[in-house]
Amino acid sequence: MSAQIIDGKAIAAALRARLGDNVAQLKIAHGRVPALAVVLVGDDPASQVYVRNKARQTQEMGMRSIEHKLDVGTPEKALIALVQSLNVDPDVDGILVQLPLPKHINEATVIEQIDPAKDVDGLTEASAGRLVLGKPGLRPCTPTGCVLLAQGVLGDLTGKTCVIVGRSILVGKPAAHLFLEQNCTVTIAHSRTKDLPALCRTADILIAAVGRPQMIKGDWVKPGACVIDVGINRVDAPERGAGKTRLVGDVDYDEAAQVAAAITPVPGGVGPMTIACLLRNTVLAACARMDWPVPEGI
Ligand code: GUN
């Protein structure tokens, strides 16, 4: 058997198209569009690419993109002052501080300054607390993307067993709560878990978020499972020529695809959903802040 490939690119594009329609409706109804402020400190090339993509996709959806690019030597105090000014700016609905920040800046201190109502990354303690307590709030983007992809394949997730390999603050822990919200039976596995392959084989939905290239093998996968691979690892690819590299996930894709019913590729699976969910959060933040009804279907 060969698994259905979950086309994250296409699913993200469809979500962005729906959001674009919603933004157009909001503009007609309320005379303004949601605005996302992105703050980039320094000139890390990967971060520059991410920020450019976020700004482009924000504008393509008809929303307003506000970019703040700060010098690598910007003091922490100045960054905090900028975040505080965005918090009180009535024209800003969402704030994203691109990570990683330069070494002299404490990331947690800066993130904690973001008004939870504008925390479109879902990274503040208030957002995390609201998720754990089952209260409404802005949810982290990558784990939300995982839930949307699983729902795209399986529909209602009620009663499914979900094993999440990895307990990071950015993915594993919030993913556990998000799948729990969908009435899944959730287990979080990590480096100290006993007999990890056997545990993974119990999963209807297997989420791989460990950051170890191709760690999860085909015989760890339950036949018919839905496998969602969050890992993005660059590995040497001598078969492509001397010095060449390629991206692989945390799952041994070729093996797992022989066993699973559905699987995300890397790249082109979870990755595109992360930015789409950021744009979705920006629309949701604008609706909550402005007391607008949340549009249908997002
Ligand atoms: N750097 C890489 N991915 C992300 C993300 O999703 N959010 C933020 N703030 N920084 C990132």
Side-chain angles (χ1 to χ4, degrees):
M1 193 180 77
S2 195
Q4 170 198 343
I5 299 168
I6 304 172
D7 187 346
K9 251 183 162 170
I11 296 168
L15 173 55
R16 289 200 307 273
R18 288 201 301 281
L19 288 169
D21 291 344
N22 295 144
V23 168
Q25 287 168 21
L26 292 174
K27 190 173 181 181
I28 292 167
H30 306 288
R32 75 175 279 263
V33 295
L36 171 65
V38 176
V39 181
L40 173 64
V41 186
D43 41 23
D44 174 64
S47 291
Q48 285 177 329
V49 172
Y50 282 130
V51 166
R52 234 190 347 262
N53 281 339
K54 284 167 188 167
R56 181 176 49 78
Q57 293 189 24
T58 304
Q59 287 165 355
E60 279 173 5
M61 267 185 45
M63 299 201 299
R64 193 168 155 228
S65 168
I66 303 159
E67 278 178 71
H68 289 272
K69 292 188 177 162
L70 306 183
D71 187 81
V72 68
T74 301
E76 183 178 292
K77 264 191 175 167
L79 178 57
I80 288 174
L82 172 61
V83 169
Q84 288 172 342
S85 75
L86 295 170
N87 283 343
V88 295
D89 185 337
D91 291 334
V92 170
D93 297 292
I95 302 169
L96 179 140
V97 177
Q98 183 68 26
L99 304 176
L101 289 169
K103 294 264 178 302
H104 66 280
I105 297 177
N106 184 315
E107 287 183 353
T109 306
V110 173
I111 294 296
E112 234 9 76
Q113 294 297 319
I114 298 172
D115 178 351
K118 299 188 178 187
D119 176 23
V120 285
D121 249 341
L123 295 182
T124 60
E125 288 176 14
S127 297
R130 299 188 75 83
L131 170 60
V132 173
L133 295 173
K135 291 187 172 181
L138 293 164
R139 307 306 198 211
C141 301
T142 299
T144 301
C146 294
V147 170
L148 294 177
L149 290 175
Q151 286 174 327
V153 174
L154 299 167
D156 182 9
L157 304 183
T158 297
K160 303 287 183 195
T161 54
C162 176
V163 173
I164 298 163
V165 188
R167 55 176 158 180
S168 71
I169 291 168
L170 285 178
V171 183
K173 284 179 185 162
H177 290 283
L178 285 168
F179 279 97
L180 192 58
E181 254 181 1
Q182 298 303 319
N183 305 313
C184 290
T185 303
V186 177
T187 309
I188 308 183
H190 47 78
S191 55
R192 307 285 179 89
T193 296
K194 287 189 182 142
D195 201 352
L196 184 57
L199 179 65
C200 290
R201 273 192 298 274
T202 66
D204 299 320
I205 304 164
L206 181 58
I207 310 291
V210 256
R212 292 183 58 183
Q214 298 172 305
M215 184 180 104
I216 293 174
K217 301 296 175 194
D219 62 359
W220 298 26
V221 176
K222 175 167 149 175
C226 172
V227 178
I228 305 219
D229 191 351
V230 182
I232 302 178
N233 309 287
R234 192 163 283 287
V235 295
D236 292 335
E239 72 281 4
R240 294 187 176 184
K244 296 281 184 198
T245 61
R246 68 188 175 107
L247 292 178
V248 297
D250 293 346
V251 177
D252 188 320
Y253 180 89
D254 291 338
E255 284 188 19
Q258 297 304 311
V259 187
I263 185 168
T264 58
V266 177
V270 174
M273 289 299 284
T274 297
I275 296 186
C277 289
L278 171 71
L279 304 176
R280 180 175 182 262
N281 272 352
T282 306
V283 173
L284 293 173
C287 291
R289 277 186 65 243
M290 311 297 291
D291 232 354
W292 296 341
V294 176
E296 301 259 317
I298 68 169

